[in-house]
């Protein structure tokens, strides 16, 4: 770094070419990276707490870490934490599973008939382009304020992604491999089972992580609109009653919950990939 | 005279597009004796691949018929083994499971198919690789697996569409030896497409020369060289004479070269 200390004439004036050195970045040891991260979190929380105590920010709107901590313990000890988490979790998982499976099956079904695929595809794309959340109020009206409507919104969000990705996988099946199967005398069903499904599996698996996030969004939005339980309802209720600390608590719990599901799905993905590779 | 194993009777293929009809094959007829090794050579665009697709039943000809064992086999699949330049091994299957694919499709149980295939894998240079995945194999090994898959389908006729086209010269030479060994063991009727005239002469009993657009047979050249043929046979006078005759047919007018 000291090299830059002195000013140098551009090489044109010196009449020879100055060669640049390959820029090298020194990587820190993982523990230093981790230390920096911890420091950042501590600074953020400490700064927030300090700013709220000194009234630099208004604690009524922003709340403060000490109050959030207090509410968090209350939420778990006396509140509806377990019910809410379980409710949101259930809606998310069911929506995720149903949406992913239905979408994958629909995507795979396009392999069977090019005419059918051509007829149906514009409708899928059309449905894809609608912001599904705009349909949420309608879905609540149709399916009621219970669990079903949350699942339905989660399914609406996930099913199209799975369908389109799986169909992209179907279209990417090597036509030469298909020819090989037919040259071996295979039936269409054999090609489907032994070639199309295994070839498309990695595509289907690749949307799992996206879908778990979408399913959670769907469940939360459903709870926002109308619900008796769930983290989404908790956030909405807390906001309406100006219980800002509770908003933060619900958001934190939601974030932790979302991260856990993300990690779980990543593990599931690894497992499935291994299974498919064999 | 032994009867023809595979007979092409006036096979024609016309591709019609908005620009008009294109003759890909004008009546092509030839017969191949049982157990012989026949190579088809010709410039690109002479319809070799189309011809193979028709023989394998993957494409319907505009006219003519494919006859196997005196039986009309036009448009039926699974009658001949077909191998392409790409090995097309399925990446999610082990070598062994790839090799038995044909048998599996014919309805043989996996267990029996494995039992049948294992000795062949050991004998033909894939021993120790049975449970590896294709990505762990070299190009030559992959082609061996692909060829064994074709052979184990248990059809009398096999079509090889430039199977060694993507291999380096050294691997290609050892694969040729290996193929001849297999051919001698299995006594199959082989139809082989290649761009490489040396390869065609070295391997074949007979060479069918085709011309480009529309594809048609312009010459049939017998290769009366005794087997087993030494590698250096490429320097022999008869060999060179045959090669000259082939190249004469293949040397295209300059304009066609660009296409």
């Amino acid at each position: 770094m000291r090299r830059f200390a002195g000013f140098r004439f551009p090489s044109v004036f010196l009449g020879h070419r100055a060669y640049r050195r390959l820029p090298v970045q020194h990587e820190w040891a993982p523990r230093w990276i981790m230390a920096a991260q911890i420091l950042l979190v501590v600074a953020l929380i400490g700064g927030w707490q300090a700013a709220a105590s000194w009234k630099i920010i208004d604690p009524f709107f922003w709340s403060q870490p000490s109050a959030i901590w207090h509410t968090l313990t209350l939420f778990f000890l006396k509140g509806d934490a377990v019910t809410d988490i379980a409710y949101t979790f259930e809606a998310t998982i069911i929506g995720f599973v149903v949406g992913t499976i239905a979408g994958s099956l629909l995507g795979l079904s396009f392999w069977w008939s090019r005419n059918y695929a051509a007829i149906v595809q514009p409708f899928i794309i059309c449905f894809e382009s609608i912001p599904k959340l705009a349909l949420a109020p309608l879905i609540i009206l149709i399916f009621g304020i219970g669990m079903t409507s949350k699942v339905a919104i989660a399914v609406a969000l996930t099913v199209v992604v799975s369908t389109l990705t799986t169909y992209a996988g179907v279209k990417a099946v090597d036509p030469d491999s298909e020819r090989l199967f037919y040259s071996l005398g295979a039936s269409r069903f054999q090609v489907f089972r032994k070639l199309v499904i295994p070839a498309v599996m990695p595509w289907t698996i690749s949307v799992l992580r996206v879908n778990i996030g979408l399913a959670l969004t769907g469940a939360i939005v459903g709870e926002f609109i109308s619900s008796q339980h769930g983290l989404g309802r908790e956030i909405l209720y807390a906001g309406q009653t100006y219980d800002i600390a509770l908003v933060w608590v619900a958001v934190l719990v939601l974030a932790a919950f979302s991260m856990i599901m993300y990690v779980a799905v990543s593990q599931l993905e690894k497992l499935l990939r291994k299974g498919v590779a064999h | 005279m032994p009867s023809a194993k595979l007979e092409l009777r006036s096979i024609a293929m016309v591709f019609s597009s908005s620009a008009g009809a294109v003759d890909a094959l004008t009546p092509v007829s030839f017969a191949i004796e049982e157990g012989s090794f026949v190579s088809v050579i010709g410039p690109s665009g002479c319809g070799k691949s189309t011809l193979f697709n028709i023989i394998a039943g993957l494409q319907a000809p505009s006219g003519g018929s494919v006859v196997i064992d005196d039986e009309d086999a036009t448009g039926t699949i699974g009658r001949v083994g077909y191998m392409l330049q790409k090995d097309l091994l399925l990446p999610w299957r082990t070598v062994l499971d790839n090799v038995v694919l044909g048998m599996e499709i014919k309805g043989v149980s996996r267990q029996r198919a494995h039992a049948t295939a294992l000795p062949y894998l050991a004998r033909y240079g894939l021993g120790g690789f049975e449970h590896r995945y294709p990505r762990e194999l070299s190009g030559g090994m992959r082609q061996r697996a692909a060829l064994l898959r074709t052979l184990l389908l248990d059809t009398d006729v096999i079509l090889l569409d430039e199977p060694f086209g993507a291999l380096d010269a050294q691997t290609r030479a050892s694969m040729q030896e290996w193929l001849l060994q297999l051919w001698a063991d299995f006594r199959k009727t082989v139809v082989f497409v290649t761009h490489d005239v040396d390869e065609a002469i070295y391997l074949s009993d007979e060479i069918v020369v085709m011309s480009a657009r529309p594809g048609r047979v312009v010459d049939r050249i017998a290769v009366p060289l005794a087997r087993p043929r030494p590698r250096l046979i490429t320097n022999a006078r008869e060999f060179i004479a045959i090669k000259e005759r082939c190249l004469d047919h293949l040397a295209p007018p300059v304009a066609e070269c660009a296409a």
Side-chain angles (χ1 to χ4, degrees):
Chain A
M1 290 295 124
R2 267 191 207 125
R3 250 165 238 287
F4 296 116
F7 175 76
R8 292 192 189 176
F9 281 106
S11 50
V12 224
F13 298 125
L14 296 174
H16 67 85
R17 298 184 61 179
Y19 290 102
R20 205 169 263 145
R21 275 176 193 281
L22 180 72
V24 179
Q25 247 192 32
H26 295 284
E27 275 174 38
W28 291 3
R31 62 200 153 119
W32 289 115
I33 300 277
M34 173 109 82
Q37 286 166 337
I38 292 171
L39 197 69
L40 200 62
V41 173
V42 170
L44 214 66
I45 295 174
W48 185 359
Q49 181 70 37
S53 313
W54 298 330
K55 304 281 183 224
I56 298 172
I57 55 172
D58 187 343
F60 179 76
F61 288 114
W62 287 91
S63 190
Q64 49 191 325
S66 57
I68 294 170
W69 177 252
H70 181 68
T71 313
L72 182 69
T73 48
L74 278 184
F75 183 53
F76 273 94
L77 293 178
K78 303 208 172 105
D80 307 323
V82 179
T83 328
D84 284 338
I85 292 175
Y87 193 82
T88 305
F89 178 76
E90 198 180 329
T92 305
I93 295 297
I94 299 177
F96 168 73
V97 171
V98 172
T100 306
I101 291 179
S104 304
L105 291 179
L106 194 59
L108 280 171
S109 75
F110 292 139
W111 179 79
W112 287 91
S113 161
R114 249 174 267 161
N115 298 327
Y116 154 62
I119 291 168
V120 175
Q121 232 205 333
F123 295 98
I124 304 264
I125 306 238
C126 183
F127 187 62
E128 155 74 359
S129 60
I130 301 174
K132 261 75 63 187
L133 294 181
L135 298 175
L138 190 65
I139 293 177
I140 302 271
L141 281 177
I142 295 171
F143 292 98
I145 62 167
M147 175 77 71
T148 323
S149 58
K150 281 78 196 166
V151 170
I153 297 172
V155 169
L157 283 179
T158 49
V159 76
V160 188
V161 181
S162 270
T163 305
L164 291 178
T165 312
T166 307
Y167 185 43
V170 164
K171 281 192 284 194
V173 172
D174 183 14
D176 280 337
S177 293
E178 222 171 299
R179 280 205 309 155
L180 168 79
F181 269 78
Y182 287 124
S183 83
L184 295 171
S187 66
R188 292 206 80 197
F189 184 72
Q190 281 174 322
V191 177
F192 184 68
R193 259 226 40 221
K194 292 177 197 291
L195 175 66
V196 177
I197 292 183
V200 168
M201 268 308 269
W203 294 72
T204 299
I205 293 168
S206 72
V207 295
L208 293 184
R209 272 182 292 174
V210 177
N211 269 358
I212 192 74
L214 286 175
L216 182 59
T217 308
I220 296 290
V221 168
E223 290 167 7
F224 272 180
I225 293 174
S226 181
S227 182
Q228 291 176 312
H229 303 284
L231 291 166
R233 192 207 78 104
E234 200 68 51
I235 292 173
L236 193 77
Y237 166 78
Q240 284 166 344
T241 56
Y242 295 98
D243 190 349
I244 308 302
L246 186 57
V247 173
W248 282 110
V249 163
V251 169
L252 280 176
V253 171
L254 189 59
F257 168 61
S258 162
M259 253 152 43
I260 291 168
M261 284 200 303
Y262 187 83
V263 171
V265 169
S266 305
Q267 291 302 316
L268 175 73
E269 190 180 319
K270 260 190 215 158
L271 219 78
L272 286 175
R273 268 189 208 292
K274 249 193 206 157
V276 168
H278 287 199
Chain B
M1 187 184 151
S3 68
K5 184 78 196 169
L6 168 70
E7 202 183 336
L8 305 183
R9 293 187 186 153
S10 327
I11 299 279
M13 191 71 200
V14 182
F15 290 111
S16 38
S17 66
S18 50
V22 180
D23 279 326
L25 295 171
T26 54
V28 170
S29 304
F30 59 85
I32 293 175
E33 275 170 29
E34 174 149 24
S36 63
F37 196 124
V38 176
S39 285
V40 179
I41 59 172
S44 3
C46 71
K48 291 171 295 196
S49 295
T50 309
L51 192 62
F52 264 29
N53 279 333
I54 292 170
I55 299 173
L58 300 175
Q59 226 171 347
S62 315
S65 55
V66 179
V67 177
I68 298 172
D69 288 330
D70 297 321
E71 210 181 292
D72 188 1
T74 321
T76 55
I77 57 177
R79 300 275 299 246
V80 299
Y82 186 11
M83 179 184 166
L84 294 94
Q85 183 176 344
K86 287 199 270 177
D87 56 69
L88 298 176
L89 297 173
L90 303 173
W92 55 84
R93 283 174 171 241
T94 59
V95 170
L96 179 59
D97 282 333
N98 264 295
V99 164
V100 301
L101 182 66
M103 287 191 264
E104 210 181 297
I105 284 172
K106 290 255 155 110
V108 180
S109 77
R110 254 203 202 194
Q111 212 178 355
R112 257 195 57 210
H114 281 182
T116 313
L118 275 169
Y120 287 108
L121 287 170
R123 182 134 51 102
Y124 294 106
L126 286 165
F129 290 92
E130 297 91 344
H131 302 295
R132 299 289 194 85
Y133 286 91
R135 60 175 175 277
E136 301 172 285
L137 268 59
S138 67
M141 292 295 239
R142 293 168 65 114
Q143 285 306 89
R144 281 176 196 224
L147 191 51
L148 272 179
R149 176 183 60 200
T150 311
L151 286 167
L152 287 174
L153 184 64
D154 208 24
T155 54
D156 297 336
V157 180
I158 59 173
L159 311 175
L160 305 174
D161 191 354
E162 291 191 63
F164 309 143
L167 301 176
D168 62 87
Q170 227 164 349
T171 314
R172 180 186 265 241
S174 69
M175 289 297 288
Q176 289 166 356
E177 301 298 333
W178 183 78
L179 174 62
L180 287 178
Q181 179 63 47
L182 273 172
W183 176 63
D185 290 357
F186 281 81
R187 305 304 320 166
K188 302 256 182 185
T189 307
V190 176
V191 192
F192 190 92
V193 159
T194 180
H195 270 117
D196 185 337
V197 175
D198 281 353
E199 182 172 69
I201 304 170
Y202 180 70
L203 294 174
S204 315
D205 297 322
E206 186 182 1
I207 296 173
V208 174
V209 187
M210 291 183 66
S211 75
R213 283 189 207 101
R216 63 190 185 280
V217 176
V218 289
D219 200 0
R220 298 184 61 172
I221 305 167
V223 183
L225 306 168
R227 296 180 191 266
R229 297 169 182 169
R231 266 281 143 200
L232 287 176
I233 201 166
T234 45
N235 294 333
R237 220 154 12 105
E238 304 98 297
F239 192 98
I240 291 170
I242 295 170
K243 189 171 172 180
E244 275 172 359
R245 195 166 147 194
C246 291
L247 290 176
D248 264 355
H249 289 298
L250 293 180
V254 178
E256 257 181 61
C257 255

